[in-house]
Amino acid sequence: MPRKAAAALHVAQPSLSQAMANLESDLGVSLFHRMGRGVVLSEAGAELLEPSRRVLRDLTAVRDKAEALSGLHGGTVEIVAMPSPGIEPLTTLTHRFTELHPSVTISSRAAFTPEDVVGLVRSGACELGLLGAAKPVALSGVDVLPLEEQPFVVVAGPDGDVPDGATLRPEDLGGRKLIAARGGSLMRSIVDDITAQTDGTDIVAVVDHRTSVLPLVLAGVGIAVLPASWTRLARRCGASVAAIEPTAHLHVAMISLPAHLTPGARAFLELTRSYAGHKQVPAPCAP
């Protein structure tokens, strides 16, 4: 482990070991437990991990300000996003941001639940978090910027008999084969409601990765219920998209800690605020 860490940091292993020893001496605690040829974080090391990440981000912010007083030149914005918000609005936000700041890299990390997103932002592993939840998000000690409410829609393959742009009721889906996520998600609860209200409607496939849903639909495995963020991509792939009435909505929000943001993250957050302020939500299934 020390050898791999030294290689990643481009320093000699003895130099890294000495630096670790010096840091532990300065702090007065052991940060690592030596186990054979490897090391693991001690309890003190784990407790100091989050504040250490914040210190590193502050140092990065100072360097960025010193080197780029007239604008953003280089650096990385670290964002964690859930699958559907990771389609939209992340695609639009990333497109706009990279046009404004082409030398800044957007690093997007995946998470599958709001709790995962919150945990990665609170820990300092990511500066910004994009999540979707069944209800508006309220968090203690975390800034929440509501962005939009995405209605759920039915997505069907090009060879199906779901008219694009139509409005369907749950009973219209009787006898269909459905592709669903595992239990616990808002998307799955909608599918379960549909199967409970209709005859002959069955779940034919259950997937963990939302990126698998659209390919399965296009292959003719079944139809799916997805947030409206998938509409544009689905239609570009030849799928049909129909509204559902009544339907639930996915409440999409951007979260961040009140401080310790790098200039790149602050700029991305400001762009997101502008997006939220000017957001015009179209009819979800208008062709």
Side-chain angles (χ1 to χ4, degrees):
M1 183 73 73
R3 186 180 296 108
K4 291 182 180 179
L9 295 171
H10 304 291
V11 299
Q13 183 179 336
S15 299
L16 178 60
S17 298
Q18 185 60 52
M20 290 167 56
N22 291 341
L23 180 59
E24 288 178 323
S25 177
D26 289 341
L27 295 175
V29 295
S30 295
L31 301 176
F32 302 93
H33 294 307
R34 278 72 180 175
M35 302 178 64
R37 295 185 177 181
V39 296
V40 295
L41 274 176
S42 67
E43 183 178 350
E47 290 291 330
L48 291 172
L49 187 59
E50 179 179 346
S52 297
R53 283 172 171 159
R54 292 180 178 179
V55 168
L56 289 174
R57 292 196 194 283
D58 287 345
L59 289 174
T60 300
V62 170
R63 184 183 66 245
D64 289 346
K65 284 184 178 180
E67 293 179 353
L69 291 175
S70 61
L72 289 171
H73 303 288
T76 300
V77 179
E78 297 171 339
I79 303 173
V80 56
M82 290 174 61
S84 293
I87 298 294
E88 284 293 352
L90 184 59
T91 297
T92 296
L93 291 172
T94 300
H95 179 228
R96 293 179 183 176
F97 185 85
T98 53
E99 283 186 329
L100 293 171
H101 310 289
S103 60
V104 179
T105 300
I106 303 298
S107 176
S108 178
R109 187 167 174 174
F112 293 96
T113 68
E115 292 77 16
D116 291 340
V117 174
V118 173
L120 287 168
V121 171
R122 285 192 189 276
S123 71
C126 294
E127 296 185 89
L128 304 174
L130 192 58
L131 57 80
K135 299 179 180 180
V137 178
L139 298 167
S140 174
V142 176
D143 288 341
V144 179
L145 174 62
L147 297 184
E148 59 193 19
E149 297 178 18
Q150 298 178 2
F152 281 79
V153 297
V154 172
V155 180
D159 297 329
D161 57 353
V162 174
D164 187 65
T167 299
L168 304 176
R169 299 188 65 81
E171 55 265 29
D172 297 325
L173 301 177
R176 305 279 183 166
K177 301 297 184 183
L178 294 174
I179 301 164
R182 295 199 183 275
S185 68
L186 178 57
M187 187 175 94
R188 178 56 184 268
S189 69
I190 296 172
V191 170
D192 288 341
D193 287 343
I194 291 173
T195 58
Q197 296 177 42
T198 58
D199 295 326
T201 304
D202 298 314
I203 296 175
V204 67
V206 177
V207 297
D208 283 331
H209 296 288
R210 304 297 166 81
T211 51
S212 301
V213 175
L214 185 56
L216 289 172
V217 169
L218 296 172
V221 174
I223 65 173
V225 176
L226 290 168
S229 57
W230 291 82
T231 298
R232 184 184 302 176
L233 178 60
R235 284 191 171 131
R236 285 182 175 178
C237 294
S240 298
V241 182
I244 313 173
E245 287 188 359
T247 187
H249 288 75
L250 190 70
H251 296 263
V252 179
M254 180 74 81
I255 67 169
S256 61
L257 294 180
H260 305 288
L261 292 181
T262 61
R266 285 198 297 272
F268 198 96
L269 190 57
E270 286 304 313
L271 176 66
T272 307
R273 284 198 182 94
S274 176
Y275 171 91
H278 296 87
K279 178 66 177 175
Q280 297 293 324
V281 182
C285 294

